[in-house]
Amino acid sequence: MRRQPSRAAPRRRRTFGWWTPGATVRTTDEDAGCDDPGVTHSPAAARPADPADDPLVTRLRAAGCVFAEEEAALLRAAAADDARLADLTARRVAGEPLETVLGWVAFAGRRVAVGPGVFVPRRRTELLARTGVGLARDAGAAPVVVELCCGVAAVATVVAQDVPGARVLAADLDPVAVRWAATNLGARGEAVAGDLYDALPARLRGHVDVLVANAPYVPTHAVATMPVESRAHEPRATVDGGADGLDVQRRLLAGVAAWVRPGGHVAVETGERQAQATAAAFPVGWAVHVLRDDDVDATVVAGRRPT
Ligand SMILES: C[S@@+](CC[C@H](N)C(=O)[O-])C[C@H]1O[C@@H](n2cnc3c(N)ncnc32)[C@H](O)[C@@H]1O
């Protein structure tokens, strides 16, 4: 919020701006599901025909919301009555991310539940989700898929929904995130809390077909350059990856050989300029390659354990 002037013809979709090492710092821009087909409008909070007469749009715009008309429609759709709309609007105007106010984020063509105090999944992470789905589909019947550092488990949820029969487990250090992960996975998977592999049941040791992770990878010195919505509303531990951003990734990749089966796969989101360092952190002998999607500024390093 509070960064860009309103535009006469805003793009229809928005997302949180996000920081990648070496990239220009972006603020709120595209894609959080304003065109979501599930959006309906509450009769308790009807919208004036002309947006220029809509006090909610005016208030959001004054607070710096670039996509004020779209946000007004989403807030109205989320509110059962005027009191609830007033509450949601107050939170949004105070600077809370739209997604945590609404209770969902658009991710890979679906809604993923999210709430205050956790990391809001970014659109770029859809590359990791697509990669995980592809690897899981290729792994045969009933693949074992683990998402570490799962947050609300957006990636694991996509894999669980798109790969029938997959046995999906998601884990995070933060119990609040794990509760959201459990909500999103429902009966399709399991969510557990703990520090990296400490969270996993011993029965999975050496049996994981696909391991995916979007661990924190922002260098400590760069956290201060992140958009204010992240700095003010996402716990620092969700983004701060240490001096070069790769502390958690290195710990994670140091442990993969004990958990991923021979011939199994690991895919890790990272920054474009960090990709070579991430690749170098894979165990010796693994076949490693870098995937890149410029459209969403996404980088994933994937590696296969030798058979
Ligand atoms: C950048 S967020 C990504 C969350 C999720 N993967 C996503 O893409 O939406 C990183 C996540 O890693 C978790 N995390 C950080 N350190 C961890 C650790 N040592 N063990 C497990 N999870 C950790 C944080 O709690 C946070 O949810």
Side-chain angles (χ1 to χ4, degrees):
M1 291 182 62
R2 294 193 194 85
R3 299 185 198 99
Q4 301 177 8
S6 295
R7 297 183 215 160
R11 287 155 69 182
R12 293 284 301 154
R13 295 164 74 80
R14 64 175 291 283
T15 192
F16 286 106
W18 184 232
W19 186 93
T20 295
T24 306
V25 174
R26 289 187 287 148
T27 54
T28 300
D29 46 34
E30 45 190 296
D31 202 81
C34 297
D35 296 329
D36 188 297
V39 170
T40 55
H41 296 275
S42 158
R47 180 176 64 151
D50 183 351
D53 298 332
D54 186 342
L56 178 55
V57 171
T58 303
R59 190 169 171 210
L60 291 166
R61 191 164 282 144
C65 299
V66 176
F67 302 95
E69 288 174 27
E70 286 81 356
E71 292 202 12
L74 289 164
L75 291 170
R76 283 197 169 97
D81 53 36
D82 288 346
R84 179 72 175 148
L85 180 61
D87 174 51
L88 297 181
T89 302
R91 287 168 58 191
R92 181 61 181 139
V93 165
E96 185 175 332
L98 178 65
E99 287 80 354
T100 59
V101 173
L102 295 174
W104 57 270
V105 57
F107 186 84
R110 64 208 84 194
R111 288 184 178 187
V112 171
V114 67
V118 296
F119 184 89
V120 177
R122 308 305 205 263
R123 190 174 164 212
R124 67 162 43 91
T125 302
E126 292 177 6
L127 175 61
L128 182 66
R130 287 198 300 276
T131 304
V133 167
L135 293 171
R137 283 182 177 151
D138 289 347
V144 175
V145 180
V146 168
E147 181 181 11
L148 289 184
C149 299
C150 68
V152 302
V155 172
T157 299
V158 170
V159 174
Q161 291 177 350
D162 291 3
V163 186
R167 292 170 285 171
V168 176
L169 188 138
D172 197 282
L173 191 57
D174 177 9
V176 178
V178 171
R179 282 200 289 278
W180 285 107
T183 297
N184 284 314
L185 284 166
R188 295 176 195 268
E190 189 184 350
V192 290
D195 179 12
L196 296 180
Y197 300 98
D198 289 353
L200 304 186
R203 64 182 155 79
L204 292 188
R205 187 176 276 270
H207 295 290
V208 175
D209 294 291
V210 179
L211 188 149
V212 291
N214 173 21
Y217 59 84
V218 178
T220 300
H221 66 85
V223 172
T225 70
M226 293 177 63
V228 66
E229 279 185 5
S230 173
R231 282 185 281 120
H233 294 279
E234 293 177 321
R236 189 173 177 115
T238 66
V239 296
D240 189 343
D244 70 351
L246 303 184
D247 284 2
V248 184
Q249 276 187 17
R250 285 199 186 88
R251 285 180 53 219
L252 185 151
L253 290 167
V256 284
W259 292 88
V260 174
R261 68 163 170 81
H265 295 265
V266 173
V268 176
E269 179 176 311
T270 195
E272 186 175 17
R273 293 192 181 184
Q274 293 162 306
Q276 293 311 315
T278 298
F282 274 72
V284 173
W286 286 45
V288 179
H289 61 286
V290 177
L291 307 168
R292 175 75 190 158
D293 183 343
D294 286 329
D295 287 346
V296 288
D297 188 22
T299 304
V300 166
V301 180
R304 181 169 190 253
R305 184 178 174 184
T307 50

